Amino acid sequence: VGIVSSTGLYVAPSTMTYTRTVTVNATSTKPKSSASASIILTSTLVSVTPANVIVAAGTTCQLSAKVTGKSSLLRWSLNPQIGTMSGSGLYTAPASVSAPQTIIATATPTTGMSDSATIIVDPSMSVSVTPAAVSLTAVRMQQFFASVIGSNQTSVTWSLSAALGQISSTGLYTAPSVVTSQHLVSVIATSIVDPSKHASSSLTLLPALGIST
C-alpha cells in the first residue's frame, strides 16, 4: 500500500477508505540487520484546537476541529462526563466544582483518526487590579491593569463606582477636568467569562492646591 523510494521516502496511496497500518522495513546487507517503522494510513485526520484550556465553573469555551482528508461527521465526547459538549464543540463547565477537574474532550470522525483537547475546570479563578490605590488631580490619567488567574480567558470589563472621570476598555482612567473637593472612586475590573469575579482599586481625586504669593 503506497510506495517507498530507495532513499526512504514513503508516498501514501491517493485514496483510502479505511484506517490501516503499514510497516516499512529497512534492511542492511553489510552487516546484515534490519529495522522497521509503522505508518498509520487513514482517510480522515482531525485536529482539535486549542489543545489545552482552563475555564471557570459555570462558563463556556469553544473548541474547533479541523478535518483533513475525507469529509466526515464528527462526534464530540467527554471523559469523564463533567459538564456538557454540544455538537459544534461548545463546552459548558458545571455551575460549581469543589476542586479542579481535568476533562479530555475528543472529536471522533465517522472514519479516521480522532484528536482531543484537555479542559481544566478551575473553581479558584480570581481577578486582581494594579495599582491597588492611587491619587490624582483634575485631568490627570492613570493606567490600570487587571490580572485574571485560573482561566485562559483573561478579558475584563472596566467600570467606575461613581460617574467621576472616564475609564477606557483598556483600563486607562482620565480624571474630570475640574475637581473641587476630595472624592473616593473605585475602579472595577470584572471578568467577562464569570461576572461574579471582580476586583477594584481605590482612586482618590484631589482638588489642586492653591498657590499663594
Side-chain angles (χ1 to χ4, degrees):
V1 179
I3 58 175
V4 63
S5 72
S6 60
T7 59
L9 178 64
Y10 176 80
V11 180
S14 58
T15 59
M16 288 174 284
T17 57
Y18 59 94
T19 300
R20 64 184 301 175
T21 301
V22 175
T23 301
V24 178
N25 296 303
T27 302
S28 171
T29 56
K30 294 181 180 180
K32 188 173 182 179
S33 62
S34 64
S36 63
S38 295
I39 301 174
I40 298 176
L41 300 178
T42 181
S43 59
T44 306
L45 285 175
V46 178
S47 176
V48 175
T49 56
N52 298 279
V53 64
I54 302 174
V55 299
T59 64
T60 63
C61 68
Q62 180 67 57
L63 299 182
S64 298
K66 180 181 178 181
V67 177
T68 303
K70 183 180 178 181
S71 179
S72 176
L73 295 175
L74 291 177
R75 178 178 61 87
W76 288 93
S77 60
L78 299 174
N79 183 28
Q81 187 65 48
I82 298 174
T84 59
M85 177 70 81
S86 73
S88 62
L90 180 66
Y91 174 76
T92 302
S96 63
V97 291
S98 58
Q101 302 291 325
T102 300
I103 304 105
I104 304 300
T106 303
T108 304
T110 305
T111 60
M113 302 287 291
S114 62
D115 193 25
S116 60
T118 300
I119 302 173
I120 297 177
V121 182
D122 194 336
S124 59
M125 194 181 87
S126 63
V127 180
S128 61
V129 175
T130 55
V134 67
S135 297
L136 297 176
T137 55
V139 190
R140 298 293 184 181
M141 303 173 73
Q142 174 67 49
Q143 179 67 58
F144 290 90
F145 300 93
S147 175
V148 178
I149 299 174
S151 175
N152 281 359
Q153 302 183 44
T154 58
S155 298
V156 299
T157 57
W158 292 94
S159 60
L160 302 172
S161 62
L164 294 169
Q166 295 180 331
I167 191 159
S168 72
S169 60
T170 60
L172 180 63
Y173 174 81
T174 304
S177 57
V178 177
V179 178
T180 58
S181 59
Q182 181 172 317
H183 296 279
L184 184 63
V185 180
S186 293
V187 178
I188 306 165
T190 302
S191 168
I192 288 180
V193 296
D194 185 358
S196 69
K197 307 296 184 182
H198 52 81
S200 63
S201 174
S202 179
L203 169 64
T204 303
L205 295 175
L206 300 172
L209 295 176
I211 300 176
S212 59
T213 58

